[in-house]
Structures are given as C-alpha cells and as structure tokens.
Amino acid sequence: MRICVVGLGYIGFPTACLLAKAGHEVVGVDTSYAVIEQLRNRRVHITEEPGLGEIAQFVLDSGALTVSQVPVEADAHIICVPTPLRAVPSMNLRNGPIAGLGSDAVGTEVAATREHGRDAGTLKHDVTRPLVDLSYVEAAVHSIVPVLRADNLVILESTVPPGTTEQVVLPILESNGWTRDKILLVHAPERVIPGAILREMVENDRIVGGLTPEAAEAARELYASFVQGRILTTDATTAEFVKLIENTYRDVNIALANELARIADYLGIDVQESISLANRHPRVNILSPGPGVGGHCIPVDPNFLIERAPNLTRLIQVARSENDAMRDYVVSIVDELSKKEKLRRWTLLGAAYKANVSDERNSPSLYIADRLTSLGYSVVIHDPFIERFNRPLEEVVTEADGLLLLTDHSVYRNLDPQEIANVVSKRFIVDTRLSLDPRAWASQGFVVRRVGDGRGAALVVS
Ligand code: SAJ
C-alpha cells in the first residue's frame, strides 16, 4: 500500500517508520523545511525514543520511507498533527473550580490565555475563539484534498474533541466533493506513552472509529500490518471520546493521589506507604502523587471534554484544579521551610514533565521555578535531558541552600548524598516525587522533607 503520513512528530514519525518497516511504501510529510531536510540527509530528528533511531535509519536507507513537504497521491492518508489548547487553562482552586468554563460558557466558544507570575491560575477567555486549536488538523485536511482519490482511506490520529471527525473533517472533504460514500474516513487515536512509543505502538490495543463500518474495516486492515495488540472497531465519535476518557481517568486518579498526599501531610502519615498498602487490595490502583501534572496530553485532553460539556464535568474540572494546585502546594512548602531556616538559594532538580524525557511542555517545574523566583528566591534549574539546563550537577548544587527534586530522572535517584553534602551550602532537600531514600540523605546531615510524608515535618537523622 502507498501511505502518506502527514505530520512527522512524536506520533507521525514512528508511525511512518513502522508502516515502512511492515512493507508499505510510505511518504512522510511535514510542513517544516528543517525536518524534511534533516530526514533527506538521513538524520533522524527525534532522538530519545528507544529503538526509533535504528528503525528510522533502516527505512530511510532502504527507501521504504521517503519525505516531502506536501502530500502526494496515496491509498491512505494518516494525519498526525498537534491539537493544542490555545493556552492550558490553569484552574486554581483558590479561583473556584471552573475558572472561566462555568455555566455561562455553555454553548459559547471559549479561548484562554494563562497569566504568568503571581496571578497565574486565573483563566481569561475570549468568547470568540474555541479553546481547542484545530487549525493544524484543518490545514492538514485541506492539504490532502488536491491529492485525494476515490476510496482513499483518511485517518485522523490527532486527539480531538468528540465529534471533530464528523463535524469538522468531513465537511472540509464534502465541500470538495468527497462524501462519506466516496472516501473512507476514520479516527484512530494514538495512545502511546512518551519514552516507550515504539513498543506501545506495536503492542497496545488499537481503537479504530469509522464514519462507516467499511472505513473502520479498511483502517483495521492497515493497522494489522504492524500492530500486535487487538484492533477494536467502533464509530468515530466514540473513538474520540475513548481517547479523552483514558487521559481523563489518569488525571483524576493522579488528582486523588495528590489530594491524599496533602491529607497525609495534615494527618502526619506517609502517603507512599499508605498508597502501596491500599494497592494490595485486588481492586485498588492509586497512582503516585507529585508536583503536578505536565506534558502535552494529560493536562490538555480533559479540557476537550470540559469545553464540550462544561456543566457535566465537575469532577474532571476539580481534578484539573487539584493537580494544578499541587504546584502551589510545593511552592508553599519550600517558602515555609525557607522562612524558618533562612534559605535563599534553591537548586531545582528536573525541568522535564516526567522521568527520563526531555519534554518540558506544561512542566510543573517551570511554573514552580517562576513562582519561587517571583517570591524573591534565587533559583537554578538542572536537567540532564534538556540542553539549556544541562550543566554539571556539582556546579549547580554548589552553594545551594536547598535542593528541590521535581522530576524523578533515574540519575537523581542514584545521586550520592555524601558527594552532594560536600558541596552544598546548607543541607536541605525537598522530594516531591518520593523517589529518594530519605534515610541515606538524612544520614549525611540533610533535613529531608518528602511531600506527602507527614510523619514529622522533616526527617533528620543525627
Ligand atoms: N504523573 C504523576 N503521577 C503518576 C503518573 C504520572 O504525577 O502516578 C504525572 C507525570 O509526572 C507527568 C504527568 O502525570 O507530569 C503525565 O505523565 P504520564 O506518564 O501519566 O502520561 P503522558 O502524558 O506521558 O502520556 C499519556 C498516556 N496516557 C495514559 O496513560 C492514559 C499515553 O498513553 C497517551 O498516549 C499520552 O498521554 C497521549 O499522547 O495522550
């Protein structure tokens, strides 16, 4: 089959590579001249996903994957472009749970701009623009129109609000003469986790939602060429909804863990121990607390549901607020400790939104750094995965009054507290991920504050 993959980002590029490896003739399309040039020169632009470099090199060298800045004629077109929010609404509990998406927003189109600094957390909206930015999807659909042929398969993989395939994509095709009986239109959401994209793309079950059963069946056959998991067919709007509820489920579950962390602090117990004991129950699986939820998916996708059904998403909105509020909770812990112990210089360990990736989109770390700076602290950020924060660790901790662990990169878990103790100015460490061994650090004279461990405000071993 000849397949055109539109959008060569974290989803489109691995998809194109796997399809090419499975024997298809694949043309990868991206509007970025830089990406296309790099790939034409056989240099892979996504470097950190395990296994991707090797497969990409193989399919580029063999010619199974070629690239182009514009779509070409093909049997199938797969659209994998971003669907960002115009800004991530920051729903701070202090501002009320719905912050700009309240009942007066029902039936209106809402857009958001997040304020920075002290007032971050309020959501200002411009009622003339939708919150979700579908312009990349629309542009991608328009871009394939000139090369469409009868019975082409058109698959939208981008995460979108329920109804988008039928109410946004189809009308663009219809206005160019491609009705649903002439084209096979499908939504097949990507569901892979950054850090294990390639493995999950092959092993995970796949949801395929067709505008017609024939369309779903055609897409099922295409994915079967590289997917080992089950391929389950449904209608397009259900597939859109399923993708959103998966990420919403995770957001709500993390919000519960974060709330439990604050309760545990208040009650003087250890949330980590409590969650791990509760999870021994066969039907309980609580996730882990942390400094908040980042990335381009989980803090974003629940808003697609909130926007469509503002009055029916109270729990989802409160969960978003809880997770955002966690960042301020961390700031208040650092501020309180600093005032008590006269600490001024903080080194933040980790800027990426989660362990062992270089992605800093919506990372709680950056918000926390911003807030601490605005409170007058001197802040240094370290992250071995992000070039501008990748300085020798010894250099960034030297003369720090306190260390704040925000991302649980493996390298931090393996730090030697004794070595760090020799270079810091004062020995204080706040662990927001509950990933360090508190006794090892305390034995080197550190005062250890674990967020969610209320057994004594801080652990000190003399
Ligand atoms: N986090 C916690 N506690 C946890 C788990 C995660 O605080 O117990 C935080 C992380 O630190 C991070 C954020 O949540 O800041 C999101 O990380 P993640 O690993 O939960 O998810 P993503 O955003 O990397 O990928 C998610 C995945 N969705 C689900 O697991 C339901 C992935 O499968 C999706 O394909 C991806 O979103 C996406 O593209 O939508």
Side-chain angles (χ1 to χ4, degrees):
M1 224 176 171
R2 185 168 154 93
I3 303 169
C4 186
V5 177
V6 181
L8 296 178
Y10 280 85
I11 301 301
F13 187 62
T15 303
C17 291
L18 287 173
L19 285 165
K21 186 170 163 256
H24 299 287
E25 183 192 336
V26 182
V27 180
V29 177
D30 204 289
T31 51
S32 161
Y33 175 75
V35 167
I36 295 300
E37 269 312 287
Q38 213 173 319
L39 290 170
R40 277 202 181 118
N41 293 322
R42 309 259 191 285
R43 277 186 291 116
V44 177
H45 62 304
I46 299 173
T47 50
E48 70 195 46
E49 277 300 326
L52 182 60
E54 294 81 356
I55 293 187
Q57 215 62 61
F58 176 73
V59 292
L60 286 167
D61 288 345
S62 71
L65 173 63
T66 54
V67 291
S68 161
Q69 247 186 302
V70 288
V72 295
E73 282 197 8
D75 304 300
H77 298 270
I78 305 182
I79 296 174
C80 306
V81 293
T83 47
L85 290 184
R86 294 192 191 279
V88 175
S90 185
M91 296 181 196
N92 194 314
L93 283 174
R94 285 184 318 224
N95 298 312
I98 302 181
L101 290 171
S103 54
D104 57 341
V106 183
T108 64
E109 294 180 325
V110 187
T113 51
R114 204 187 87 184
E115 289 193 344
H116 291 291
R118 278 176 172 271
D119 289 331
T122 54
L123 181 74
K124 293 201 166 169
H125 61 279
D126 159 7
V127 292
T128 59
R129 293 200 308 160
L131 185 62
V132 179
D133 181 358
L134 290 176
S135 60
Y136 298 96
V137 170
E138 289 164 356
V141 177
H142 281 292
S143 77
I144 62 168
V145 164
V147 294
L148 279 182
R149 294 187 318 225
D151 296 327
N152 267 181
L153 179 58
V154 176
I155 302 177
L156 177 65
E157 286 206 10
S158 313
T159 305
V160 290
T164 302
T165 306
E166 189 152 21
Q167 291 158 27
V168 177
V169 177
L170 181 63
I172 296 174
L173 299 178
E174 279 175 337
S175 66
N176 288 281
W178 296 108
T179 48
R180 70 175 80 199
D181 53 325
K182 292 192 191 143
I183 219 96
L184 300 161
L185 181 56
V186 167
H187 177 63
E190 63 81 10
R191 307 155 87 204
V192 290
I193 195 117
I197 285 181
L198 218 56
R199 181 175 56 74
E200 289 211 347
M201 232 171 227
V202 172
E203 292 178 5
N204 287 4
D205 289 351
R206 187 99 206 189
I207 310 295
V208 167
L211 274 202
T212 59
E214 295 73 36
E217 185 49 31
R220 200 192 61 70
E221 275 175 31
L222 184 150
Y223 284 111
S225 63
F226 73 90
V227 171
Q228 287 168 9
R230 288 185 66 195
I231 302 170
L232 306 148
T233 56
T234 181
D235 63 88
T237 305
T238 302
E240 291 163 341
F241 186 64
V242 168
K243 164 70 192 188
L244 297 179
I245 65 175
E246 290 165 3
N247 279 355
T248 300
Y249 160 79
R250 200 157 168 84
D251 201 35
V252 173
N253 193 330
I254 297 168
L256 173 64
N258 282 335
E259 186 160 281
L260 296 178
R262 293 200 290 268
I263 298 172
D265 269 345
Y266 176 69
L267 295 180
I269 48 186
D270 177 6
V271 74
Q272 192 175 43
E273 181 191 3
S274 309
I275 289 177
S276 88
L277 290 173
N279 283 351
R280 303 296 298 179
H281 186 288
R283 283 174 297 284
V284 174
N285 185 17
I286 305 169
L287 291 168
S288 309
V293 170
H296 60 292
C297 309
I298 299 200
V300 172
D301 296 357
N303 295 291
F304 292 21
L305 288 177
I306 294 171
E307 183 179 28
R308 288 304 303 268
N311 282 341
L312 301 173
T313 45
R314 288 198 68 78
L315 174 64
I316 299 170
Q317 293 176 44
V318 170
R320 278 279 68 247
S321 302
E322 281 287 332
N323 286 333
D324 279 349
M326 211 53 199
R327 305 170 306 180
D328 292 306
Y329 184 62
V330 169
V331 169
S332 69
I333 286 172
V334 170
D335 192 34
E336 209 172 281
L337 185 64
S338 301
K339 283 186 175 133
K340 187 163 157 240
E341 304 288 350
K342 303 201 174 3
L343 314 177
R344 205 183 62 75
R345 289 165 301 198
W346 281 88
T347 295
L348 276 42
L349 300 177
Y353 80 96
K354 69 173 186 179
N356 306 328
V357 299
S358 64
D359 196 333
E360 54 186 293
R361 282 175 289 179
N362 304 317
S363 173
S365 307
L366 303 179
Y367 175 94
I368 290 167
D370 205 34
R371 292 284 293 127
L372 288 175
T373 307
S374 72
L375 289 173
Y377 295 102
S378 149
V379 171
V380 175
I381 307 177
H382 177 263
D383 196 305
F385 289 84
I386 300 173
E387 208 177 320
R388 72 183 194 285
F389 299 129
N390 185 15
R391 288 162 51 200
L393 192 75
E394 194 180 307
E395 196 180 302
V396 296
V397 300
T398 299
E399 312 222 319
D401 295 340
L403 306 178
L404 173 60
L405 181 95
L406 291 169
T407 311
D408 46 349
H409 292 316
S410 317
V411 63
Y412 295 142
R413 225 172 294 144
N414 300 329
L415 284 177
D416 180 352
Q418 193 178 2
E419 278 175 24
I420 306 290
N422 290 335
V423 284
V424 289
S425 154
K426 295 179 181 171
R427 296 178 187 181
F428 289 87
I429 186 158
V430 176
D431 178 4
T432 68
R433 295 281 184 174
L434 303 172
S435 72
L436 301 175
D437 175 357
R439 299 214 150 260
W441 285 83
S443 72
Q444 295 304 319
F446 277 88
V447 172
V448 185
R449 173 70 166 93
R450 303 169 77 235
V451 177
D453 184 356
R455 295 170 309 180
L459 178 67
V460 194
V461 176
S462 51

